[in-house]
Amino acid sequence: MNSKVLLDNLRCIPDFPKKGINFRDVTTLYKNGECVQIMLDELERLYKDKGITKIVGIESRGFVMASALAGRLGCGIVLARKPGKLPATVIKESFSKEYGVDTIEMHLDSIDENDVVLIHDDLLATGGTAKAAYKLVQHFNPKKTYINFIIEIKDEGLHGRDLFEGIELTTLLTI
C-alpha cells in the first residue's frame, strides 16, 4: 500500500531502544485521525471476506488496530501479552528479538479449532515476536491463520517475512 500520508506521518527514532536500532514509531500514525482511518479502511478491505472470528493483538501497539478492526469485522480480540499480565491459565512462547529475549502469553481458552485467526502487530522486523504469537495460535489448531503488520522493515537487511513462508502475510507499509 505505502500510502504517502502514512509514510509522511511515521516517525523514526535513531538508536532506540539501543544504538544501531532505527525505531519506527507507529504512535505518530495513531495520533492522526486521517492515518487511523486509512489504516483501518485498508485492513477492513483486506480481511472483510476472510471469515475472521478472532484477531490476536500483540502487546502493546498491536492492541490498537486489532481492537478497532475487530469492531469493524464483528469478531473477537485475543491479547498476546507479556508474562504475568493475564489472570487465567496461559500458554507461553519465548523468542529472540533484535535486542534481547522475551516471552508472550495467551489465555488457554482464547481460541479453538473453529476459529479463523488474524494475528496483528505494528511492526515486522526480525519476526521473532510474531513467530512466537503464530506458534501460540497454532497450539489451538484453528481453521486458518493470517498475519498482518502495519509496517515491514526491509531496508536494514531484516528478513522477518522469511519466517512465515506459506502463510498469507500482509503489510500496509514497507520500508
Side-chain angles (χ1 to χ4, degrees), residues 111-123:
I111 297 171
D112 67 43
E113 66 278 351
N114 294 314
D115 283 316
V116 176
V117 177
L118 171 62
I119 298 169
H120 173 78
D121 203 1
D122 67 323
L123 181 77

Side-chain angles (χ1 to χ4, degrees), residues 126-145:
T126 63
T129 308
K131 187 66 172 190
Y134 179 77
K135 287 178 181 178
L136 288 175
V137 168
Q138 293 315 295
H139 169 82
F140 300 103
N141 196 29
K143 285 183 185 178
K144 178 85 176 171
T145 304

Side-chain angles (χ1 to χ4, degrees), residues 81-83 93-97 99-104 128-129 132:
R81 304 236 29 211
K82 292 180 179 176
E93 186 73 32
S94 293
F95 58 97
S96 295
K97 300 192 311 187
Y99 40 85
V101 176
D102 212 341
T103 300
I104 58 171
T129 308

